[in-house]
Amino acid sequence: MNFSAGGPLLVLGCTLVSGAIGGALARRLRLPTLTGYIFAGVLVGSHGFALLPHGPVEALRGPVNDLAIALVLFMLGGQFQTDRMRGMGARLLGLSLTETALTILTVTAACWFVAPSVEVALLLGVVAVEVGPATTMVVLREFGAQGPTTNVLRLLTAMSNAWVVLLFEAVLLALALAHGGDLGPGSLIADIAGSLALGLLAAHALIFLQERAGWGGFSIPMLAVTLTTIGVCKWLGVPHMLVFLVAGAVVAKRSRLL
């Protein structure tokens, strides 16, 4: 019997089952559940025993990653709440900018000697600013971390992901212009404006479905809006990471969903 004949849904189901088993084992060993998820993925994936067919796994990789990142960034955007940022906005911004600048300089300098060009080293430095949002949020939520330090950590994680989106776009634009490309400053402005507009639309659509249309539960409206927004972002060529940070911040401000 050909296992791959089951298609992507069978592969997805087996992946979730293996992750659940790995998470349960990690908890028994008093490790973060995320450690079990990662270990299970390595075991069943192509870098382990290759128990899952490569074709369906590759077909699922992009959509599942997009959905997971969107949901995590939405929750991170929800950290931008007035009560959490009151009295520390300027200090938090300064800390985030300092962290971002030091990361870019350090990684760019380190990669300069091994990267094929300084442009590649600079892009790697910008990408290094991103903090793994899924890892941070899952571990903090699992262990019930609360308090001022946790709030600052969540806000810094959200800000780091916002910076990396903006800086990556800006650096690509600068490199394109330096090499005689046709891109202009309007490209960056269009991406930012598009992200803000789609984030606002997604947030208000979610609020409407949850609070006005009377849909029971939170999962279905959230999934419907998230999948639709990701598709629209890909259709219009708008970076969806910033879109969901904006959506989460708007929902946290105007609704009781977060």
Side-chain angles (χ1 to χ4, degrees):
M1 182 179 294
N2 185 5
F3 182 77
S4 61
L9 290 180
L10 178 58
V11 170
L12 179 60
C14 292
T15 303
L16 293 175
V17 169
S18 63
I21 295 173
L25 291 175
R27 286 195 298 272
R28 292 293 297 273
L29 296 174
R30 297 188 177 182
L31 296 172
T33 305
L34 186 64
T35 304
Y37 296 158
I38 295 173
F39 185 69
V42 171
L43 283 181
V44 303
S46 57
H47 297 289
F49 294 105
L51 300 178
L52 301 177
H54 181 73
V57 170
E58 288 301 313
L60 286 169
R61 187 190 304 275
V64 170
N65 284 345
D66 287 340
L67 177 61
I69 290 173
L71 293 174
V72 172
L73 289 175
F74 178 85
M75 298 302 296
L76 280 175
Q79 304 305 312
F80 292 110
Q81 298 179 16
T82 306
D83 57 336
R84 292 181 178 177
M85 300 185 67
R86 185 177 294 113
M88 63 176 183
R91 288 179 294 173
L92 190 65
L93 180 61
L95 181 60
S96 178
L97 289 174
T98 302
E99 177 191 32
T100 299
L102 288 177
T103 300
I104 293 175
L105 290 174
T106 303
V107 175
T108 300
C111 293
W112 200 325
F113 301 99
V114 294
S117 65
V118 65
E119 290 87 352
V120 174
L122 181 58
L123 288 173
L124 289 174
V126 172
V127 171
V129 173
E130 183 182 7
V131 178
T135 303
T136 304
M137 294 299 289
V138 168
V139 173
L140 290 178
R141 184 179 294 271
E142 179 177 351
F143 288 97
Q146 299 292 336
T149 302
T150 301
N151 290 337
V152 170
L153 179 59
R154 285 172 172 159
L155 288 167
L156 285 176
T157 301
M159 295 175 74
S160 295
N161 283 274
W163 293 134
V164 77
V165 173
L166 297 175
L167 290 174
F168 193 80
E169 290 277 329
V171 170
L172 279 181
L173 172 61
L175 292 178
L177 292 174
H179 289 82
D182 296 329
L183 295 176
S187 176
L188 178 61
I189 296 174
D191 281 348
I192 296 175
S195 297
L196 293 174
L198 288 177
L200 288 170
L201 286 174
H204 286 90
L206 181 58
I207 293 171
F208 173 80
L209 290 177
Q210 179 66 23
E211 296 184 352
R212 308 292 197 277
W215 283 26
F218 181 59
S219 300
I220 294 178
M222 183 69 199
L223 190 59
V225 171
T226 301
L227 292 176
T228 303
T229 304
I230 292 173
V232 172
C233 289
K234 289 184 176 295
W235 177 38
L236 298 178
V238 175
H240 71 272
M241 292 178 66
L242 186 57
V243 169
F244 285 96
L245 281 172
V246 172
V250 173
V251 169
K253 179 69 175 178
R254 304 200 57 181
S255 173
R256 296 184 298 273
L257 297 177
L258 291 180

